[in-house]
């Protein structure tokens, strides 16, 4: 457990380094390097599925290019193992380190582009299931990391960008089939909340639950075997719902702030400044809110099944939603909220990841141990 707490302490200390505003990237770079080293240097015993991945990697050394479909794993991941075993002749530890290097580069780009508070984002990542999940679920992690590169493309207009988004998402599905859900993200990005689109955001989930049995049959036949279970609300799902409630609360406060500024601004500057404020808020939080909402629906739909991994692609946006909404508060209020949030996150990580040894991340061992 000591190393994990040390990682948290380092990230908190790094955030205290006095830097100019344009040097804030240094905080993110140092923190991401620390995360990468923890993952890249861990033994295969850290992470429930890693030893199974290692066994398959070792078997792949004896496969041939004409026939390397030796497992249930997706073709893209098997091809990647073939490249590392037959061309680079790399050890499994090197293979794993390269994967984590790519994944954390993807996360770095995502956080740098969308997060307004790197420290809060990183603590959420470590303490709220994502870090624990990434210690074990290699293929799912690669799929998500690839999909994150598709988001800036989807934000641009044009058919060519749509084709690029499609190509990136299809590439991700070759490492984990759950990435197919990311095709929905294109429409989530293009369709913001409004009085008209609310019919889609409410009607689509209703249709999803009405056609639940048919959709399960389709998934069983083409993607993954699942078993229908009862819907349950609790645990992490409740946290996501509370997160949305919190963000709606911030949204209301922000609207009041705009109303107050509308009364104080002169008529010549009013429209331009208010429009800039509104655009900035919705561009940084609107998409994340829609993604979390979709993730909640997916987790309800796939409750108790492997389909909940599809929700992970949407729920990852909580890492930017909470920090960006905290940025709306005054510095004093924000500091007070952060103290409470950080304490709760560390306690959550300690209880549900470390004490319960979720996905066998305890004890941490270096690969040379």
């Amino acid at each position: 457990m000591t190393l994990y707490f040390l990682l948290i302490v380092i990230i908190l200390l790094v955030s205290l380094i006095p830097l100019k505003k344009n040097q804030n990237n240094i905080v993110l770079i140092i923190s991401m390097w620390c995360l990468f080293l923890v993952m890249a240097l861990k033994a295969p015993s850290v992470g429930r599925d890693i030893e199974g991945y290692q066994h398959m990697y070792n078997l792949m050394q004896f496969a041939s290019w004409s026939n390397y479909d030796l497992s249930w794993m997706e073709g893209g991941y098997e091809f990647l193992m073939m490249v590392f075993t037959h061309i680079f002749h790399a050890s499994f530890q090197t293979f794993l380190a390269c994967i984590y290097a790519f994944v954390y580069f993807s996360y770095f780009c995502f956080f740098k582009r969308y997060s307004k508070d790197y420290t809060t984002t990183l603590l959420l990542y470590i303490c709220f299931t994502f870090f624990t999940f990434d210690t074990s679920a290699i293929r799912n992690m690669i799929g998500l990391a690839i999909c994150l590169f598709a988001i800036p493309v989807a934000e641009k207009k044009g058919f060519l960008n749509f084709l690029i988004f499609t190509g990136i998402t299809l590439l991700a599905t070759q490492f984990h089939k759950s990435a197919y859900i990311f095709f929905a993200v294109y429409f989530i990005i293009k369709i913001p909340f409004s009085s008209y689109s609310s019919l889609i955001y409410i009607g689509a989930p209703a249709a999803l639950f009405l056609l639940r049995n048919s959709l399960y049959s389709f998934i069983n036949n083409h993607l993954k075997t699942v078993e229908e279970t009862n819907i349950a609300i609790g645990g992490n799902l409740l946290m996501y719902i509370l997160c949305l409630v919190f963000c709606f609360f911030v949204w209301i406060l922000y609207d009041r702030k705009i109303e107050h500024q509308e009364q104080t601004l002169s008529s010549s500057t009013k429209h331009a400044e208010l429009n800039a404020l509104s655009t900035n808020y919705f561009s940084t939080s609107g998409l994340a809110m829609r993604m979390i909402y979709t993730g909640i629906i997916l987790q309800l739909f796939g409750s108790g099944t492997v389909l909940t991994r599809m929700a992970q692609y949407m729920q990852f946006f909580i890492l930017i939603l909470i920090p960006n909404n905290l940025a709306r508060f005054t510095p004093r209020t924000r500091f007070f909220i952060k103290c409470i949030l950080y304490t709760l996150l560390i306690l959550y990580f300690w209880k549900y990841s470390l004490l319960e040894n979720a996905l066998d991340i305890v004890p941490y061992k270096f690969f040379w141990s």
Side-chain angles (χ1 to χ4, degrees), residues 215-278:
L215 287 171
Y216 271 134
S217 298
F218 176 83
I219 293 169
N220 280 327
N221 292 331
H222 297 90
L223 295 176
K224 189 85 173 181
T225 302
V226 297
E227 295 180 0
E228 186 175 357
T229 62
N230 294 326
I231 292 175
I233 298 178
N236 291 345
L237 183 60
L238 185 59
M239 296 294 292
Y240 290 114
I241 294 173
L242 291 175
C243 174
L244 275 190
V245 172
F246 168 75
C247 292
F248 277 120
F249 172 73
V250 177
W251 206 328
I252 293 171
L253 288 181
Y254 193 70
D255 282 341
R256 290 180 179 176
K257 178 181 177 182
I258 290 181
E259 284 182 15
H260 175 72
Q261 292 184 0
E262 185 175 13
Q263 296 173 359
T264 58
L265 288 172
S266 65
S267 58
S268 60
T269 60
K270 183 185 298 182
H271 178 74
E273 292 194 26
L274 291 180
N275 184 63
L277 285 169
S278 179

Side-chain angles (χ1 to χ4, degrees), residues 348-369:
Y348 186 95
F349 180 60
W350 176 64
K351 182 179 189 321
Y352 293 104
S353 291
L354 301 181
L355 287 185
E356 295 189 5
N357 198 13
L359 298 181
D360 301 334
I361 68 169
V362 177
Y364 182 90
K365 295 180 180 179
F366 291 104
F367 72 88
W368 60 78
S369 298

Side-chain angles (χ1 to χ4, degrees), residues 19-29 116 118:
L19 296 170
K20 296 180 181 179
K21 187 175 181 181
N22 59 356
Q23 294 177 315
N24 198 35
N25 290 339
I26 296 176
V27 172
L28 182 60
I29 292 170
K116 290 182 175 295
Y118 298 147

Side-chain angles (χ1 to χ4, degrees), residues 280-292:
N280 182 55
Y281 177 78
F282 289 114
S283 64
T284 56
S285 295
L287 171 60
M289 289 183 71
R290 298 196 300 274
M291 294 290 280
I292 296 299

